[in-house]
């Protein structure tokens, strides 16, 4: 696999956006997209966890290949990612209370999110090396943040709009999400994705 | 064979991770003063932010750290503040009670509407349509965003659609200050009884067309008030704290725009102030 970094990034961020193209991580996408500020912070937390889990997945994969037990991939990914994020959370709490306050409450929420696990499985399937995995995780995280911020901005504006009562609330959010997803289809073909 | 590999691999993996987490839990343990939780339980849990901190938990942390005194929490009762002070062995640090004051007296019976606004019943929405329908650009729109936002039920609209603050219920949390699109609310120490209930910057006659109780910028209140009152941009500005307050300045006011706030009887106007008898709505052009 000799994909260039730019290709991997564009691919993960826009063309195959985790939320709007793969439909992974829908829970935070709908749950914490009511306000721009929380959406940005959630996006930051997801990007952070994705980078960590990408690193973990790379190490675990190498280990599993060494002992010839690739069928343990899924379960060990879950265990390792969850524990590592827990560990990092403790570390942040100790080292930087300010960072903990802004990211802290989101970290346990997303540790076992499907977007995180999806990232780990995809990068293994695609056979990325370490720097490629890193760029892939960064792209996926920023793509997630972008999607979250887009829908948060739209939802903030929609608060003031007069919409029929039957589509108010979750229904409207789902419709917006669908339209956004359609819009992201326009990126197909970019960067040979 | 492969089942053994699986058992050992996963067992070893989880064992390593468990040990790592146990060690981390011990080594990275963050000590938190147990008093913070106790103090937090004693606070009202309103999370209103009146103390200047983001919520009750940060306030409890600041209390335990000795950075603030319990009196800063304007929501908790005197008994509650005393309990916290006793628990931490500090003084209450009594603060003068502050309340929200409205700088407008233009109810529907004295202030005219230039346009009829029929949209969403919210001041913030009305103000988007060229500042709302009111004749006075600075005046209260009377749609009650402040009453809606008040967590303590301290603001009610009266018959003239003017918000009235119940000073016993008001905790000076500042929510109404923030929400008002015309910036009419400010938090004032309760002893600031001399009060200019107008924000209109127009000159007398122009202002009178819109409102009968606004400030005409005649300057009579400031005449012999010394440094206490100065006229700035067609409005009297009271410099609280520079001189003792008395109700002299309100007596010469022709419209009653400057008032003496009496806790029992509401705002008191001066002798010269024009008497308002009308209860219904004032139409444009009627004086």
């Amino acid at each position: 696999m000799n994909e260039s970094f730019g290709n991997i990034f564009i691919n993960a961020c826009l063309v195959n956006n985790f939320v709007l193209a793969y439909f992974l991580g829908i829970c935070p996408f709908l749950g914490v997209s009511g306000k721009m500020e929380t959406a940005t912070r959630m996006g930051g937390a997801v990007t952070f966890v994705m980078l960590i889990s990408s690193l973990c997945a790379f190490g675990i994969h190498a280990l599993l290949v060494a002992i010839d037990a690739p069928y343990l991939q899924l379960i060990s990914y879950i265990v390792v990612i969850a524990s590592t994020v827990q560990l990092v959370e403790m570390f942040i709490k100790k080292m930087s209370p300010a960072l903990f306050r802004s990211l802290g409450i989101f970290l346990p929420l997303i540790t076992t999110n499907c977007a995180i696990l999806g990232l780990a499985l995809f990068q293994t399937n695609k056979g990325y090396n370490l720097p490629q995995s890193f760029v892939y995780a960064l792209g996926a995280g920023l793509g997630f943040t972008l999607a979250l911020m887009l829908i948060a901005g739209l939802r903030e504006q929609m608060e003031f709009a007069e919409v029929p009562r039957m589509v108010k609330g979750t229904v409207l959010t789902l419709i917006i999400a669908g339209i956004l997803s359609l819009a992201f289809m326009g990126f197909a073909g970019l960067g040979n994705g | 064979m492969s089942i053994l590999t699986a058992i050992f691999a996963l067992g070893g993996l989880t064992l390593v991770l468990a040990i790592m987490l146990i060690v981390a839990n011990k080594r990275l343990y963050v000590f938190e003063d147990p008093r913070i939780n106790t103090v937090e339980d004693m606070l009202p849990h309103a999370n209103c932010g009146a103390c200047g901190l983001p919520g009750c938990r940060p306030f409890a942390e600041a209390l335990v750290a000795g950075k603030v005194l319990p009196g800063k929490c304007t929501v908790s009762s005197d008994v509650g503040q005393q309990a916290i002070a006793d628990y931490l062995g500090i003084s209450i640090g009594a603060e003068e009670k502050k309340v929200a004051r409205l700088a407008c007296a233009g109810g529907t019976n004295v202030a005219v509407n230039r346009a009829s606004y029929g949209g969403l019943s919210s001041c913030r929405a009305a103000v988007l349509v060229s500042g709302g329908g009111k004749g006075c650009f600075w005046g209260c729109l009377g749609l009650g965003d402040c009453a809606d936002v008040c967590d303590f039920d301290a603001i009610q609209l009266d018959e003239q659609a003017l918000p009235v603050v119940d000073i016993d219920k008001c905790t000076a949390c500042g929510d109404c200050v923030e929400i008002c699109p015309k910036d009419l609310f400010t938090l004032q120490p309760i002893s600031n009884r001399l009060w200019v209930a107008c924000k209109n910057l127009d000159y007398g006659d122009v202002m009178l067309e819109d409102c009968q109780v606004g400030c005409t910028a005649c300057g009579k209140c400031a005449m012999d008030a010394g440094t206490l009152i100065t006229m700035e941009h067609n409005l009297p500005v009271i410099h609280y704290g520079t001189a003792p307050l008395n109700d002299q300045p309100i007596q010469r006011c022709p419209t009653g725009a400057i008032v003496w706030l009496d806790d029992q009887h509401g705002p008191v106007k001066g002798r010269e102030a024009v008497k308002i008898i009308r209860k219904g709505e004032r139409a444009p052009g009627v004086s």
Side-chain angles (χ1 to χ4, degrees):
Chain A
M1 275 298 211
N2 283 322
E3 265 185 272
S4 75
F5 289 147
N7 255 0
I8 295 175
F9 185 84
I10 298 282
N11 190 2
C13 184
L14 297 175
V15 185
N16 290 321
N17 187 294
F18 269 58
V19 183
L20 297 171
Y22 284 157
F23 303 106
L24 294 172
I26 295 291
C27 166
F29 182 61
L30 298 180
V32 289
S33 60
K35 265 177 153 181
M36 189 56 112
E37 201 205 333
T38 35
T40 336
R41 271 155 57 170
M42 181 73 184
V46 168
T47 313
F48 182 69
V49 173
M50 276 183 167
L51 288 174
I52 292 174
S53 58
S54 148
L55 206 69
C56 294
F58 190 79
I60 286 298
H61 181 66
L63 204 72
L64 289 179
V65 168
I67 63 166
D68 195 25
Y71 49 86
L72 290 175
Q73 200 183 48
L74 192 62
I75 190 163
S76 34
Y77 277 4
I78 295 177
V79 174
V80 171
I81 291 170
S83 336
T84 317
V85 173
Q86 183 74 42
L87 193 72
V88 172
E89 191 193 337
M90 287 182 197
F91 188 74
I92 295 178
K93 194 175 181 182
K94 176 85 174 175
M95 293 304 160
S96 166
L99 188 66
F100 180 75
R101 238 169 259 154
S102 65
L103 288 186
I105 50 166
F106 298 114
L107 286 179
L109 289 179
I110 50 178
T111 325
T112 48
N113 192 289
C114 59
I116 310 293
L117 187 65
L119 175 100
L121 292 174
F122 287 150
Q123 72 168 40
T124 319
N125 286 352
K126 290 179 187 223
Y128 287 149
N129 60 24
L130 193 57
Q132 279 175 329
S133 304
F134 187 81
V135 174
Y136 187 62
L138 193 70
L142 290 180
F144 185 90
T145 315
L146 176 71
L148 216 60
M149 283 172 74
L150 278 178
I151 198 158
L154 286 168
R155 278 181 72 177
E156 275 184 357
Q157 293 297 313
M158 291 309 271
E159 289 281 304
F160 296 108
E162 273 191 41
V163 291
R165 277 231 335 255
M166 58 181 246
V167 298
K168 248 190 177 145
T170 318
V171 183
L172 188 67
T173 315
L174 286 172
I175 294 174
I176 298 175
I179 296 173
L180 259 184
S181 173
L182 278 178
F184 266 65
M185 293 292 162
F187 288 118
L190 197 69
N192 306 330
Chain B
M1 189 57 213
S2 67
I3 191 159
L4 282 182
T5 322
I7 290 172
F8 282 120
L10 264 193
L13 190 66
T14 40
L15 194 70
V16 170
L17 288 170
I19 291 171
M20 215 163 72
L21 281 181
I22 292 168
V23 172
N25 201 21
K26 287 265 183 290
R27 294 285 296 275
L28 297 175
Y29 175 71
V30 179
F31 176 75
E32 266 185 349
D33 199 324
R35 291 181 301 169
I36 294 174
N37 283 329
T38 319
V39 171
E40 194 192 359
D41 287 340
M42 293 159 104
L43 289 170
H45 296 289
N47 285 319
C48 63
C51 51
L53 289 152
C56 290
R57 173 91 194 173
F59 184 64
E61 284 169 13
L63 274 174
V64 172
K67 287 182 206 149
V68 292
L69 291 173
K72 270 272 187 209
C73 179
T74 49
V75 183
S76 58
S77 63
D78 295 346
V79 184
Q81 292 175 2
Q82 189 61 53
I84 297 171
D86 291 345
Y87 177 71
L88 293 174
I90 50 179
S91 69
I92 289 189
E95 293 253 321
E96 192 186 355
K97 184 178 163 62
K98 283 187 173 184
V99 290
R101 299 287 199 195
L102 181 75
C104 179
T108 49
N109 60 334
V110 289
V112 300
N113 278 330
R114 290 285 170 212
S116 137
Y117 170 76
L120 198 63
S121 182
S122 150
C123 308
R124 281 166 298 158
V127 86
L128 296 174
V129 190
S130 64
K134 204 143 195 168
C136 170
F137 181 78
W138 296 267
C140 170
L141 297 172
L143 295 170
D145 283 14
C146 47
D148 292 339
V149 81
C150 183
D151 289 331
F152 304 97
D153 208 18
I155 301 180
Q156 305 287 339
L157 295 188
D158 66 7
E159 309 91 84
Q160 275 80 40
L162 210 58
V164 178
V165 179
D166 183 334
I167 58 167
D168 292 327
K169 288 184 186 165
C170 179
T171 62
C173 68
D175 280 354
C176 51
V177 177
E178 228 165 82
I179 203 101
C180 180
K182 297 284 186 185
D183 286 335
L184 291 172
F185 275 108
T186 44
L187 300 180
Q188 299 286 343
I190 205 158
S191 65
N192 286 0
R193 296 192 185 282
L194 192 61
W195 181 244
V196 182
C198 183
K199 277 209 160 184
N200 191 307
L201 302 181
D202 276 335
Y203 265 118
D205 289 345
V206 183
M207 191 284 303
L208 280 174
E209 276 177 32
D210 295 326
C211 180
Q212 285 175 299
V213 295
C215 172
T216 58
C218 65
K220 285 180 184 165
C221 54
M223 267 197 313
D224 54 2
T227 55
L228 183 64
I229 304 177
T230 53
M231 295 300 292
E232 284 170 27
H233 307 295
N234 292 338
L235 274 182
V237 176
I238 305 171
H239 303 280
Y240 295 107
T242 55
L245 299 179
N246 59 56
D247 64 355
Q248 268 313 301
I250 73 168
Q251 302 300 353
R252 283 187 300 264
C253 179
T255 55
I258 184 165
V259 290
W260 184 257
L261 298 166
D262 187 312
D263 294 341
Q264 266 81 48
H265 307 101
V268 179
K269 292 181 179 181
R271 283 187 298 270
E272 306 276 313
V274 61
K275 300 279 180 292
I276 308 290
I277 307 158
R278 189 189 305 110
K279 290 272 181 229
E281 207 163 297
R282 182 186 167 204
V286 180
S287 60

